[in-house]
Amino acid sequence: MMTLKEIELLGFKSFGKKSAVSFTTPVTAVVGPNGSGKSNIVEAIRFVLGEQSMKSLRGKGGSDFIFKGSKGLSSSNRALVSITFDNSKKIFSFTNSGIGISLDYDEVTISREVFSDGVNKYSINGTEVRLKD
C-alpha cells in the first residue's frame, strides 16, 4: 500500500507562501471553512500527478495556477507542487530501464512546476523527467 507523506505548495493558486501539509496518519477527507483552500489542495494533487485538463483544475492555462498576489504578498512567476510518498515497500519502480533514474529509495517525491509563460517542468526525486515518466 502506498502512503502519502507530504504535499508542498509554493505559488500554487491561493498558496503564496511555501506551505506544507504532512500526513502522519491516513487521510480520507480534507475539511475546513469556505475559502481555506481545500479544493486547491485536491487540485494540487491532481496537478502534480500530471492532470492535463485545465478545465478540471478550474483554469484555462498554466498561468491560472500561479499565485496572483495579495495585500501582503507579491505575485509569483511560477507555481510548484511536490508530493512525497513512502516507498519503503518499493511500490514505485520503472519497468523501462531507459528512464535513467532509480526509485530504489524509501521516499519518492514527484514535482511539477509551471511558469508564467506556460512551460511545465516535471521531476522525480529532483531529477527532471518527462510527463510520460
Side-chain angles (χ1 to χ4, degrees), residues 73-109:
L73 293 172
S74 60
S75 62
S76 184
N77 63 353
R78 67 186 178 115
L80 172 67
V81 178
S82 296
I83 191 166
T84 303
F85 294 97
D86 177 353
N87 193 40
S88 57
K89 295 182 182 173
K90 307 301 183 234
I91 293 171
F92 286 106
S93 64
F94 280 128
T95 55
N96 179 356
S97 60
I99 300 298
I101 65 171
S102 169
L103 292 180
D104 191 25
Y105 296 100
D106 288 339
E107 288 184 351
V108 171
T109 300

Side-chain angles (χ1 to χ4, degrees), residues 31-105:
V31 296
N34 290 343
S36 63
K38 300 177 300 289
S39 59
N40 290 345
I41 290 174
V42 173
E43 288 174 357
I45 293 170
R46 293 179 67 191
F47 171 81
V48 74
L49 294 178
E51 177 63 63
Q52 294 299 294
S53 169
M54 297 298 135
K55 186 177 177 182
S56 70
L57 294 173
R58 296 183 303 151
K60 293 180 183 172
S63 63
D64 290 339
F65 307 125
I66 299 172
F67 180 70
K68 304 292 188 237
S70 66
K71 282 184 180 180
L73 293 172
S74 60
S75 62
S76 184
N77 63 353
R78 67 186 178 115
L80 172 67
V81 178
S82 296
I83 191 166
T84 303
F85 294 97
D86 177 353
N87 193 40
S88 57
K89 295 182 182 173
K90 307 301 183 234
I91 293 171
F92 286 106
S93 64
F94 280 128
T95 55
N96 179 356
S97 60
I99 300 298
I101 65 171
S102 169
L103 292 180
D104 191 25
Y105 296 100

